[in-house]
Amino acid sequence: MIRRPPRSTPSNSSAASDVYKRQVFSMPALRSVKDYLGEIVPAGILLLSYNQYSLGWRIGARLVKEEVDAGGFGMITNVAIPFRKLCMRMKLGGLDIIKEGEEGNLAVINVFKENLPYDFVYSVGEVDANTFIPKYVEVHKRLPQEHKLKNRRLVHAFVTLSTLYERFGEEIMKQLFMGRLHAGERLVRRGFNFWDVLIVNRDSIPKNIHSWMISISDYVIMTQGILKENEFVEDIAIIKGVSEDFKPRIFQIKTPTTLVPAERIY
C-alpha cells in the first residue's frame, strides 16, 4: 500500500498571495480615472494633487486628451515651465499640444515672456504680482469667442498651482480662484459648459492653502509616489466627488526593482 504524503497547510504568506491574485484578476478594467469621478458638472473644479515623487500630474494631460478626443476643447494655463518643456511633459500623458493646437482643438495661455510661432499660444507678456490677474483675465476672455467655445465642452488645465503660489503669492492665488468661482457661475448661466483641472505639487505649498483648494474643489484626486527598498509604489486616491453615487477609490501602481551589475551604474 502506497501512503500519500499529508497535505501541507498553506502558509499565511501563500494564502495572502492567493487572495491578492484573486483581487487582481477580478478587478474591472480601468479605462480612465474620470470613470470614477461621476458626472462632471458645468464649472466643476478638479484638484489634482501630487507629491514630489509622484507622476500623478500626468493624469491632468490625459484628462485633457480624453476631452479633446470626445470632441471637446482643451485649454492649458502654463505658469510653470517654458513652452517647449511643457509640450514634452504633456506628451508623457498622451497629449500632443502642438498637434491638437494646430488642429484647432487646444489653446495655451503662456505666462512666460516667449516669442513662439503658434497662433494657438496666447502670451500674457511680462507680469508681476500687480499685473498678473488683469493681463491673464484679459487674455482669458478672448478665447471663448475666437474658438466658439459656447458650442464645445471645455476642459482647462492649470499648470501648476504650486508655481503660481511661488511666483505671485497666496493673496493673488486666492483672488484669482475666488474670481473663477464667481465668473464660472455667470458663464454657466450664459450656456457655457466647462471644467477645470488644477494641478498642484502639494509638497511645495503650505498645508492651509492646500486645504483651502480642497474646500473649493468639487473633485479631488491625490497621488503619492513612495520609494521603497525594492520597488516604487504610486498610490492614486480619488477622494471627492459630487454625484450621489460617488465612492472613494484607491488604485496602486508598482514598479519592481531591476537588478543590474554595479559597474553599469557607477
Side-chain angles (χ1 to χ4, degrees):
M1 180 177 178
I2 301 174
R3 294 175 63 95
R4 292 181 179 175
R7 285 185 180 175
S8 60
T9 302
S11 66
N12 289 338
S13 61
S14 69
S17 176
D18 290 342
V19 170
Y20 172 75
K21 289 176 182 176
R22 287 197 298 272
Q23 288 175 338
V24 170
F25 289 114
S26 65
M27 188 177 72
L30 174 63
R31 297 186 301 275
S32 168
V33 294
K34 191 178 175 184
D35 297 341
Y36 298 92
L37 293 171
E39 179 188 3
I40 304 295
V41 298
I45 297 176
L46 164 64
L47 181 67
L48 175 56
S49 171
Y50 65 98
N51 77 340
Q52 60 184 320
Y53 304 116
S54 171
L55 298 175
W57 53 268
R58 291 186 184 183
I59 295 172
R62 179 167 176 174
L63 290 172
V64 174
K65 177 68 163 59
E66 290 173 356
E67 194 69 70
V68 168
D69 287 347
F73 187 86
M75 183 190 304
I76 298 174
T77 293
N78 173 41
V79 186
I81 51 179
F83 179 76
R84 177 181 62 86
K85 291 187 176 181
L86 175 73
C87 292
M88 292 170 60
R89 296 189 189 186
M90 292 295 104
K91 216 165 191 178
L92 295 175
L95 178 64
D96 188 331
I97 287 179
I98 294 177
K99 173 181 175 293
E100 298 298 347
E102 290 181 341
E103 291 180 358
N105 298 320
L106 182 143
V108 176
I109 301 178
N110 201 32
V111 191
F112 273 87
K113 191 176 180 181
E114 296 182 282
N115 294 318
L116 299 169
Y118 304 108
D119 293 337
F120 63 88
V121 179
Y122 297 75
S123 175
V124 299
E126 190 91 34
V127 291
D128 56 25
N130 296 318
T131 61
F132 167 66
I133 290 181
K135 288 188 175 183
Y136 177 74
V137 171
E138 181 183 354
V139 172
H140 207 287
K141 285 180 177 179
R142 292 169 49 193
L143 271 66
Q145 185 173 357
E146 291 185 12
H147 295 276
K148 297 180 174 59
L149 297 184
K150 198 168 185 178
N151 301 319
R152 298 178 75 175
R153 181 176 164 98
L154 165 73
V155 58
H156 169 227
F158 199 101
V159 186
T160 64
L161 295 186
S162 33
T163 315
L164 176 68
Y165 170 79
E166 290 163 1
R167 290 184 63 181
F168 303 115
E170 178 179 350
E171 183 179 347
I172 296 300
M173 183 174 175
K174 287 188 173 182
Q175 185 179 339
L176 179 66
F177 287 104
M178 287 305 298
R180 153 62 180 86
L181 290 174
H182 294 295
E185 295 307 300
R186 292 195 297 269
L187 289 170
V188 170
R189 289 194 292 270
R190 289 170 54 193
F192 289 92
N193 187 1
F194 65 96
W195 59 293
D196 291 305
V197 180
L198 309 181
I199 304 174
V200 61
N201 177 350
R202 63 180 176 273
D203 288 341
S204 61
I205 63 171
K207 287 185 177 180
N208 66 301
I209 296 179
H210 188 258
S211 297
W212 180 74
M213 292 308 305
I214 288 178
S215 70
I216 69 168
S217 298
D218 306 294
Y219 313 89
V220 177
I221 299 175
M222 294 185 68
T223 70
Q224 178 166 278
I226 307 167
L227 185 61
K228 296 187 175 182
E229 182 179 356
N230 59 351
E231 62 185 356
F232 178 77
V233 177
E234 179 95 59
D235 292 328
I236 300 100
I238 304 171
I239 62 174
K240 186 177 180 181
V242 294
S243 62
E244 292 183 1
D245 58 348
F246 173 80
K247 294 179 181 179
R249 299 270 187 154
I250 298 178
F251 301 99
Q252 191 172 81
I253 302 168
K254 290 187 176 182
T255 304
T257 298
T258 301
L259 295 177
V260 296
E263 58 268 19
R264 294 189 183 178
I265 303 296
Y266 305 111

